[in-house]
């Protein structure tokens, strides 16, 4: 199956997300799609898979122009896409999710059989009667792949599929993708910011920048070469950093946490000034619960939390903020920024010292922070009109200057390499002044690079790596899959 | 079996049938992700229109159809305002609650206390001879009561046992996923909002053509729309639990009025009227997450899991949200 | 604003077509229009907290006076206090409050009069019809709110039922169950009153086979009709409005009703001539023909539900009452005694109302133990007294 | 282009009003009356003399209190249907003071008003606690508490506070003259004090929302309670405070009804004015200065409609139908404008600000995260 894109254009208001993109994709290959944040990768993939119509341009499949409306139509001609957050229905069971969208004639029993058969082929383990809300992201991806294959898809598009899954699951996924392209001659398009994955898997890469196709390259290629292609300049690899580590500031004393999904039993640890602690683990393994328990968003079921010797265990989120903690959550617009408020209004919200608001002062401060944090946006813009990277910067700008401890959920979520480094630069600056940092990330690289200590979680159990410099991405990948015993050996 | 008790239960089944029908209609609508808040007004308007049409034509069937059309029409306004005009469903629903009730009062003026056709009473052969169930469920009901029975099973079957049912639930749970599978999300929302609205209208007809026949001012069914909305939540958007909720509610209401007649109880009469509303809050508290969590904290851990499972009442995840394809 | 005739306002608590109290008043007003040349009625219906919560009596009266009304009839005890207050603001307008007694007690300003019909007689007859008909020995009475008026009407019905159950039917009066349920207002206001439909159903479900209506609207007859259609042998007694039985003729034992026309015509004529001085009147039936629309202020029309045998007994009973009334003629325009209201009678709490051989006084200033002010239901009745 | 757009905006503002008048006219014709006469009757009813104008103002005052309270709850993203009950409880508390406390007017009135505010706030905080602590949606809490307030009022009228000669469930005995709000003049019977208080509240609410930390907290909580909480806004307290302040302001409206309009406690003393306030605030997209202006138009219709019934025998509901259609069609026209004006070329502008993005079933997200 051969796909050709001709002069694809797509605009969102002032943004030219795809600007005259033409390319040919041959079957039987795995093609990496690279580019910085906002380059237009997802947009192009959505156009190809029918989720969005192009403003102009043509898609040719095996030389014949196709004109489809909607993803189902794209699937009918053989193009299917796996979104980063798999598009299943959480309330449905696995078999219902599988069945929904299949030809009307298929019965529940046939669905069950087919699901089992395809799963077996790739080594996926999917219990048909489990509600998909209870699956891990990796399993949900597997379910979605099985579903698309059952629908006869010949081109499979994956948008950032490797964040949030364990090393084992990644291996299974990559094996499956290789099997599909090598043995079944399918086209696989892989969008990813993880250059290691691209290097390991792809036969070819294409690179987008600011909506344009700026290059393509046959593999193998080095990471440096790919970075050069993406950003037009070299970016030195981040050095492992270590600052001055001081006395304990945040003490966790046999803390037990129970939230809806997991139970973390009896965790004790001292976080020291200037220390960076990375938390690794699959979604919902306990790392989020730990961070939220530290800031008081979840009640602890047992144990104590102290900051500089002061017992915070029964204090509210706000009291803990006043005491010197700072927190930012993973979902920027869900938990962090308030869509509908301007940048200035956010700034004013942070100052709760007075009953009346001093608007001129707030505007001035916003202007200063915009400059300092290099935010592309104006003080009077509503926050949701900024791009994700700039929203993240504003979130950083809002954090207090010198908290004792910063607790950050996925501080570089969705950011490209360049933006992510920039964010870390800001964080490390603060750490140099003695702020301790606790963060988590699905990107194990990030954890290994920036942490002084690492805690790995699996289903509420945890494993502490005292010296992060001894850790490797590979080892971490196995740990987050639950192989604590193996690692101990 | 005590005859009086059977009588009371039989009356209960009849008198709660409009609640059952309306709550099922709203369940269908909300399962598709749309909130039709206008129930208290649209039931009333449908009752008025249904009665007027029945008087005009002399046919209860035409009355029923007119009432269903009315309910569907009100629902149509909500779904058009939501999908095409991007207006808040709750806001439009609230305005329609008031507007429909006023409109009903206006058009009903000259039909106040007019005598009109009423639905006949029917017993089901064979079924009516079953002990206990027969006299309560299958004897001397108007046909809409039997329709309500069928609707309960039909909605359950449609939602949970058919392929279109999968699409219906998906549209209310995660419209993006439905769209990805080729479902026309907004078209389904149109369809199910209209179907739900038509059932709400049918409930109105059940009132004005049988349960509280005729048209009066103030309308005799005022307030029941809110109760129906609460029952949907109590019922966890599941047809069986919804119907259970409706019967439970009617039963408690009946008990409360029996208390008033008891000579030993000295409750001031007017306070009895507070009971339905206290019941409504009570039932909502029972299934509200905040209250459940508070309740659970007091229970042993083993009891927590099943209490949560029984009482859990998660709304369709996309309820009240708007879906745009691009 | 016409010079040639009387414009009068008729303010109704319910809809003018409620087949009950308000319609009876409305038709009373129409009777005036038909019989007093040049007179014209302005109507305001449904002035109550449910239908027009934002509207006050003052606003309505202001509009009516603006339109030239010189006589305003406020047709419910619900308007009693407001009528007094508003009347002060319009000293040149005559106000009539139906069913109130402030002109009697002297609370009312000089331009307010009252009128009421002696429907107690008709209620005695209605009760008799119920007592004659009941087979289960259980009669339900659907009352509105609780006050002197509603208590005395329920009690009258009870006395009639007990008498006829014992004397014509040969039943044991102690075994007769007479249950009163109060809904809370004169008609159904969802959320404010109990639901009359549900209450009537409950009566029947619990073994009553006759339910008497004491409220303004015909739910009792509607439900009884539906039940009969399903094959139950149940009956209803209507109230307030002469055509009350039409709702379900086959199961109607009869209707005690008001005929406001003659009283209103009398007042309107005198107001028009400028000869009316506000007073309190309590008008009785025309015993020669209770149902004469031109002479009788209250009446009773027997319904199709009454068996021939019982109808005969009822006629006998009516004749007995007529004789009684002749023996106790009105004095100073007020009744002196009502039939069956004869001792020994006690209130629910045991207080003696009348000793053996005494009659309960119809009304007396400063005496609560009278029929008009009846402070409780009678001993033997089931239901709340306050 | 801009000229076209301006025309369009104006057209979309005027069209819904004309259309609702047209619909109403058709309804009037359908019952065999003359629409022109209807309009004349309403306007005459409202403006024929200073007394009639006072009638309009006497609706406008409590309506304005309801509207400004609602502006606060809507800003906080809360659907305070319970405003009707909050007015009633304000009326009940004020009635208690009027019946019980014996003091000269200048001392008694402030006490009555403060108590009315306390009563409204109390009823508001119940809805609030149900919502933010117990997860019962405020729409249902409000509906139920409205009904309960009405039951309490009727209980008082027909029970403990009934007139000495027995209750007819219509009214308590009139309050002593010293407890009532004095009127400006017999020709213009309006309470000056209440009028001034209404104006003060309008300005206070306006500036509180613009210039205070609390106002910003309300706005942030209304738009996204989770984010607001994480940014340090005490969302639970903020939401509760919105209910309290709204209840307190609405309570004054309730007090006005019993201390001026009725002179006694009546069933449903709020008279549906709280619901009307909801319509007004929805229609003006929650603007604290425009709401009183639109409120005046609605008060005019309300006051004028009594004449409709006396003169033309038209049911009062006609006025409500007209008001309902105006609000519905204005909302729809807003949507239409958003649809037409957001052509693909212009940036996807956020369609006009709408109060209350909460959905019926979203149970206390704010609370569950604290
Ligand atoms: N639905 C939309 N509405 C408005 N703008 C959009 C929309 N989708 C994408 N954009 C804009 O189009 C541009 C390209 O976005 P796209 O999501 O394709 O980038 P991307 O290369 O996938 O970036 P990332 O690496 O962050 O995923 C961005 O500026 C983005 O803000
Ligand atoms: N909420 C409920 N209330 C009452 N009965 C229920 C409820 N949920 C399930 N049941 C009962 O369980 C049976 C199965 O119901 P249901 O169809 O919801 O479950 P399922 O088929 O196992 O799962 P799915 O929801 O995925 O279809 C029904 O026949 C019904 O009797
Ligand atoms: Mg992307
Ligand atoms: Mg009196």
């Amino acid at each position: 199956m051969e796909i050709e894109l001709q002069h694809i254009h797509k605009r969102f208001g002032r943004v030219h997300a795809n600007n005259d993109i033409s390319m040919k994709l041959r079957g039987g290959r795995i093609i990496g799609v690279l580019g910085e944040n906002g380059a237009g990768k997802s947009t192009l993939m959505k156009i190809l898979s029918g989720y969005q119509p192009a403003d102009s341009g043509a898609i040719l499949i095996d030389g014949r122009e196709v004109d489809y409306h909607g993803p189902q139509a794209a699937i009918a001609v053989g193009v299917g896409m796996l979104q980063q957050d798999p598009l299943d229905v959480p309330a449905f069971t696995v078999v219902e999710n599988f069945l929904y969208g299949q030809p009307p004639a298929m019965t529940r029993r046939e669905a069950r059989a087919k699901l089992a058969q395809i799963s077996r082929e790739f080594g996926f383990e999917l219990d048909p009667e489990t509600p998909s809300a209870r699956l891990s992201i990796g399993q949900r991806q597997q379910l979605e792949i099985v579903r698309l294959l059952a629908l006869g898809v010949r081109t499979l598009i994956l948008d950032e599929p490797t964040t949030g899954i364990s090393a084992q699951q990644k291996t299974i996924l990559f094996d499956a993708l290789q099997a599909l392209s090598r043995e079944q001659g399918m086209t696989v398009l892989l969008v990813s910011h993880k250059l290691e994955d691209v290097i390991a898997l792809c036969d070819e890469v294409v690179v987008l920048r600011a909506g344009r196709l700026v290059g393509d390259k046959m593999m193998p290629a080095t990471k440096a070469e790919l970075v050069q292609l993406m950003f037009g300049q070299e970016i030195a690899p981040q050095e492992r950093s270590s600052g001055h580590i001081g006395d304990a500031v945040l003490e966790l004393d046999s803390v037990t946490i129970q939230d809806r999904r997991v139970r973390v039993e009896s965790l004790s640890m001292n976080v020291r000034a200037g220390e960076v602690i990375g938390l690794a683990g699959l979604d919902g393994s306990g790392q989020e619960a730990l961070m939220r328990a530290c800031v008081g968003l979840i009640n602890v079921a047992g144990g104590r939390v102290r900051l500089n010797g002061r017992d915070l265990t029964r204090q509210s989120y706000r009291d803990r903020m006043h005491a010197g903690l700072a927190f930012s959550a993973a979902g920027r617009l869900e938990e962090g920024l308030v869509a509908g408020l301007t940048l200035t209004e956010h700034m004013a919200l942070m100052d709760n010292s007075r009953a009346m608001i001093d608007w001129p002062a707030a505007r001035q401060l916003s202007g200063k922070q915009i400059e300092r944090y290099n935010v592309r946006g104006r003080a009077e813009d509503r926050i949701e009109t900024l791009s994700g990277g700039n929203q993240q910067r504003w979130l950083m700008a809002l954090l207090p200057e010198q908290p004792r401890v910063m607790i950050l959920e996925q501080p570089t979520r969705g950011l490209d390499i360049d933006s992510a480094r920039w964010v870390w630069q800001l964080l490390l600056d603060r750490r140099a002044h003695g702020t301790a940092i606790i963060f988590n990330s699905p990107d194990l690289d990030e954890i290994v690079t920036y942490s002084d200590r690492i805690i790995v979680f699996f289903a509420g159990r945890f494993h502490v790596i005292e010296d992060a410099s001894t850790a490797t991405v590979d080892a971490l990948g196995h740990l987050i899959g639950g192989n604590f015993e193996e690692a101990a050996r | 079996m005590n005859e009086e008790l059977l009588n009371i239960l039989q009356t209960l089944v009849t008198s709660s049938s409009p609640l059952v029908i309306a709550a099922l209609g709203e369940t269908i609508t909300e399962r598709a992700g749309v909130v039709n808040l206008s129930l208290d007004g649209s039931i009333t308007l449908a009752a008025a229109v249904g009665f007027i049409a029945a008087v005009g034509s002399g046919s209860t069937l035409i009355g029923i159809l007119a009432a269903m059309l009315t309910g569907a029409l009100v629902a149509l306004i909500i779904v058009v305002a939501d999908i095409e005009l991007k207006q808040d469903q709750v806001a439009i629903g609230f305005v329609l609650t008031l507007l429909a009730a006023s409109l009903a009062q206006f058009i009903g003026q000259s039909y106040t206390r007019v005598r009109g056709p009423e639905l006949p009473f029917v017993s089901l052969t064979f079924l009516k001879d079953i002990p206990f169930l027969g006299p309560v469920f299958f004897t001397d009901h108007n046909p809409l009561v039997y329709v309500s029975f069928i609707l309960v099973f039909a909605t359950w079957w449609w939602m949970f046992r058919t392929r279109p049912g999968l699409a219906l639930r998906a549209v209310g749970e995660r419209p993006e996923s439905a769209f990805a599978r080729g479902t026309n999300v907004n078209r389904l929302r149109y369809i199910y909002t209209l179907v739900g609205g038509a059932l709400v209208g049918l409930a109105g007809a059940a009132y004005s053509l049988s349960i509280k026949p005729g048209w009066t001012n103030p309308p005799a069914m005022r307030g029941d729309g809110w109760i129906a909305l609460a029952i949907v939540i109590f019922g966890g958007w599941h047809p069986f639990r919804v119907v259970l909720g409706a019967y439970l509610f009617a039963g408690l209401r009946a008990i409360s009025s029996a208390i008033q007649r008891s000579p030993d109880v000295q409750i001031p009469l007017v306070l009895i009227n507070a009971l339905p509303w206290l019941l409504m809050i009570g039932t909502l508290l029972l299934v509200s997450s905040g209250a459940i969590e508070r309740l659970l904290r007091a229970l042993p851990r083993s009891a927590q899991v099943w209490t949560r499972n029984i009482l859990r009442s998660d709304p369709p995840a996309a309820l009240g949200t708007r879906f745009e394809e691009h | 604003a016409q010079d040639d005739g009387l414009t009068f306002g008729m303010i109704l608590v319910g809809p003018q077509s409620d087949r009950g109290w308000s319609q009876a008043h409305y038709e009373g007003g129409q009777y005036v229009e038909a019989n007093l040349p040049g007179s014209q009625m302005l109507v305001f219906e449904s002035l109550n907290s449910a239908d027009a919560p934002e509207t006050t009596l003052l606003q309505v009266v202001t509009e009516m006076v603006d339109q030239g009304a010189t006589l305003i009839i406020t047709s419910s005890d619900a308007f009693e206090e407001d009528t007094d207050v508003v009347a002060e603001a319009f000293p040149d307008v005559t106000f009539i409050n139906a069913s109130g007694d402030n002109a009697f007690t002297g609370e009312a300003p000089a331009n307010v009069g009252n009128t009421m019909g002696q429907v107690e007689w008709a209620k005695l007859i209605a009760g008799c019809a119920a007592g004659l008909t009941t087979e289960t020995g259980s009669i339900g009475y659907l009352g509105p709110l609780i006050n002197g008026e509603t208590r005395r009407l329920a009690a009258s019905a009870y006395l009639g039922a007990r008498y006829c159950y014992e004397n014509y039917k040969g039943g044991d009066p102690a075994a007769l169950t007479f249950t009163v349920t109060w809904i809370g207002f004169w008609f159904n206001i969802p959320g404010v009153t109990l639901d009359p439909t549900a209450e009537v159903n409950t009566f029947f479900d619990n073994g009553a086979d006759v339910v008497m209506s004491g409220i303004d609207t015909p739910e009792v007859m509607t439900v009884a009709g539906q039940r009969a259609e399903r094959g139950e042998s149940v009956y209803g007694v209507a109230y307030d409005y002469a055509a009350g039985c039409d709702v379900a003729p086959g199961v109607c034992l009869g209707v005690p009703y008001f005929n406001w026309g003659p009283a209103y015509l009398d007042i309107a004529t005198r107001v028009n001539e400028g000869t009316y001085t506000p007073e309190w009147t309590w008008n009785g039936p025309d015993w020669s023909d209770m149902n004469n629309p031109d002479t009788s202020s209250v009446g009773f029309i027997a319904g199709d539900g009454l068996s021939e045998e019982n109808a005969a007994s009822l006629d006998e009973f009516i004749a007995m009452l007529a004789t009684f009334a002749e023996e106790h003629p009105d004095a100073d325009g007020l009744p002196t005694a009502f039939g069956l209201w004869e001792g020994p009678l006690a209130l629910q709490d045991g207080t003696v109302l009348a000793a053996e051989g005494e009659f309960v006084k119809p009304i007396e200033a400063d005496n609560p133990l009278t029929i008009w002010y009846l402070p409780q239901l009678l001993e033997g009745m089931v239901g709340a007294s306050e | 282009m801009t000229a076209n757009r301006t025309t369009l905006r104006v057209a979309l503002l005027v069209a819904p009003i004309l259309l609702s008048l047209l619909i109403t006219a058709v309804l009037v014709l359908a019952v065999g009356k003359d629409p022109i006469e209807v309009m004349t009757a309403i306007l005459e009813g409202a403006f024929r003399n200073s007394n009639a104008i006072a009638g309009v103002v006497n609706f406008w005052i409590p309506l304005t209190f309801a509207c400004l309270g609602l502006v606060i709850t809507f800003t906080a993203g809360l659907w305070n249907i319970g405003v009707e009950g909050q007015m009633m409880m304000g009326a009940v508390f004020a009635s208690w003071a009027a019946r019980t406390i014996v003091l000269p007017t200048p001392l008694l009135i402030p006490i009555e008003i403060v108590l009315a505010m306390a009563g409204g706030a109390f009823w508001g905080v119940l809805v609030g606690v149900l919502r933010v602590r117990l997860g019962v949606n405020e729409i249902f809490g409000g509906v139920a508490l409205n009904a309960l307030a009405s039951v309490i009022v009727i209980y008082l009228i027909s029970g403990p506070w009934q007139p000495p000669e027995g209750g007819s469930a219509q009214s308590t005995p009139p309050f002593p003259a010293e407890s009532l709000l004095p009127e400006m003049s017999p020709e213009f019977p309006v309470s000056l004090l209440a009028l001034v208080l209404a104006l003060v509240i309008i300005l206070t609410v306006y500036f509180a929302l613009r210039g205070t930390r609390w106002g910003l907290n309300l706005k942030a909580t209304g738009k996204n309670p989770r984010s607001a909480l994480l940014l340090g806004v005490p969302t639970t307290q903020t939401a509760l405070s919105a209910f309290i302040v709204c209840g307190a302001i609405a309570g004054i409206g309730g007090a006005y009804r019993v201390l001026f309009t009725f002179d006694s406690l009546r069933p449903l003393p709020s008279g549906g004015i709280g619901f009307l306030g909801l319509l007004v605030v929805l229609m003006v997209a929650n603007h604290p200065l425009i709401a009183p202006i639109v409120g005046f138009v609605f008060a005019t219709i309300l006051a004028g409609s009594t004449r409709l019934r006396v003169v033309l025998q038209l049911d009062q509901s006609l006025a409500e139908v007209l008001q309902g259609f105006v609000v519905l069609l204005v909302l729809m026209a807003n949507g239409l404008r958003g649809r037409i004006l957001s052509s693909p070329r212009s940036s996807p502008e956020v369609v006009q600000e709408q109060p209350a993005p909460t959905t019926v079933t979203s149970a206390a997200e704010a609370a569950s995260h604290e």
Side-chain angles (χ1 to χ4, degrees), chain B residues 234 248 281-289 291-292 295 311-312, chain D residues 136:
Chain B
F234 177 74
L248 195 72
I281 292 293
T283 48
L284 288 181
L285 269 178
L286 206 59
V287 297
S288 86
S289 56
I292 292 183
L295 191 76
L311 294 180
R312 260 239 95 81
Chain D
V136 174

Side-chain angles (χ1 to χ4, degrees), chain A residues 128-172:
Chain A
E129 295 308 330
T130 308
S132 101
R134 283 205 224 124
L135 302 181
S136 68
I137 293 195
Q139 285 174 308
R140 288 168 58 206
Q141 282 180 348
Q142 293 171 359
L143 169 58
E144 196 66 359
I145 291 173
V146 169
R147 187 179 80 80
L148 291 172
L149 293 179
L151 285 166
V153 158
R154 305 287 304 140
T155 296
L156 190 60
I157 302 171
L158 301 99
D159 197 352
E160 302 190 47
T162 56
T163 38
I165 67 176
S166 70
Q168 286 98 323
Q169 284 177 331
K170 190 152 111 181
T171 311
I172 295 176

Side-chain angles (χ1 to χ4, degrees), chain A residues 91-93 96 108 129, chain B residues 31 153 156 159-161 166 169 235-242 244 309-310 312:
Chain A
F92 285 5
T93 59
E96 281 176 328
R108 223 170 240 255
E129 295 308 330
Chain B
R31 274 282 183 180
F153 291 98
W156 171 79
M159 278 181 192
F160 295 106
R161 286 290 173 271
L166 278 182
R169 287 188 287 146
W237 292 266
H238 191 291
F240 293 152
R241 234 173 86 177
V242 163
L244 205 73
N309 283 343
I310 290 181
R312 260 239 95 81

Side-chain angles (χ1 to χ4, degrees), chain B:
Chain B
M1 181 58 61
N2 180 333
E3 174 126 9
E4 281 179 12
L5 184 64
L6 288 185
N7 281 340
I8 291 171
L9 292 177
Q10 197 266 359
T11 303
L12 221 93
V13 168
T14 299
S15 60
S16 49
S17 61
L19 270 187
V20 171
I21 296 173
L24 283 176
E26 182 69 9
T27 302
I28 294 172
T29 303
E30 293 194 11
R31 274 282 183 180
V34 179
V35 179
N36 178 355
L37 193 75
S38 76
L39 254 57
D40 204 44
S42 39
I43 290 181
T44 310
L45 184 59
V49 172
F51 181 67
I52 293 171
V55 170
S57 64
S59 147
T60 49
L61 188 64
I62 289 182
I64 287 172
L65 293 178
M68 292 178 76
L69 200 67
T70 307
L73 216 62
V74 176
L76 180 67
I77 297 176
I78 292 176
V79 76
V80 166
D82 173 42
I83 293 176
E84 313 300 340
L85 303 175
K86 311 205 184 329
Q87 295 297 296
D88 187 45
Q89 295 168 6
V90 173
I92 297 290
F94 176 73
V95 175
L96 284 171
T97 308
L98 299 186
L99 176 57
S102 312
L103 205 54
Q105 191 174 332
F106 185 78
I107 62 172
Q109 278 177 93
S110 44
Y111 289 85
T112 304
R113 301 279 170 197
V114 167
R115 287 191 65 204
E118 285 180 34
L119 294 169
F121 295 96
V122 184
S123 299
L124 301 185
T125 40
F126 304 124
L127 289 177
K128 74 179 196 308
D129 299 327
I130 307 173
F132 181 72
L133 295 182
V136 173
F137 288 100
F138 304 118
T139 310
D140 282 342
H141 289 299
N142 73 61
L144 295 185
V145 175
Y146 302 116
V147 170
S148 80
F149 298 161
I150 296 168
L151 274 174
V152 176
F153 291 98
T155 18
W156 171 79
W157 179 79
W158 184 258
M159 278 181 192
F160 295 106
R161 286 290 173 271
T162 68
R163 291 291 290 277
L166 278 182
L168 160 61
R169 287 188 287 146
V171 161
E173 292 286 348
R174 201 159 174 217
E176 312 80 55
S177 302
F179 171 67
R181 282 152 164 95
T183 299
N184 188 334
V185 173
N186 285 337
R187 186 165 72 198
L188 283 197
R189 286 189 169 175
Y190 265 105
I191 292 173
Y192 287 116
T193 307
L194 290 180
V195 169
L199 290 181
V200 169
L202 184 61
Y207 277 124
S208 65
L209 298 179
S210 185
I211 313 285
K212 292 176 180 174
W215 176 252
T216 61
N217 238 347
M221 68 295 289
R222 187 187 285 177
D224 278 9
W226 292 111
I227 305 281
L229 279 164
I231 287 173
V232 175
I233 298 176
F234 177 74
W237 292 266
H238 191 291
F240 293 152
R241 234 173 86 177
V242 163
V243 74
L244 205 73
Y247 286 155
L248 195 72
F249 194 89
L252 290 172
R253 196 148 66 170
I255 289 171
S256 73
S257 100
I259 291 172
Q260 190 239 342
R261 258 179 306 282
S262 147
D264 323 325
V265 184
Q266 287 300 317
I267 303 177
L269 156 79
V270 289
L271 295 187
I272 304 284
N273 291 308
L275 278 167
W277 304 104
L278 293 174
L279 275 175
M280 174 170 138
I281 292 293
T283 48
L284 288 181
L285 269 178
L286 206 59
V287 297
S288 86
S289 56
I292 292 183
E293 290 309 318
R294 253 152 240 263
L295 191 76
L296 290 184
R297 260 176 240 157
L299 292 177
R301 269 182 71 77
S302 53
Q304 291 190 8
V305 177
W306 63 259
T307 316
R308 193 180 274 127
N309 283 343
I310 290 181
L311 294 180
R312 260 239 95 81
S313 177
D314 286 327
L319 184 60
T321 61
R322 196 168 298 131
F323 176 73
E324 286 158 62
E325 285 186 7
H326 313 300

Side-chain angles (χ1 to χ4, degrees), chain A residues 12 15 17 35-44 52 160 193 414, chain B residues 326, chain D residues 348:
Chain A
F12 295 107
V15 179
E36 60 191 337
N37 285 131
K41 307 179 292 291
S42 296
T43 303
L44 186 64
Q52 282 177 349
E160 302 190 47
H193 290 294
Chain B
H326 313 300

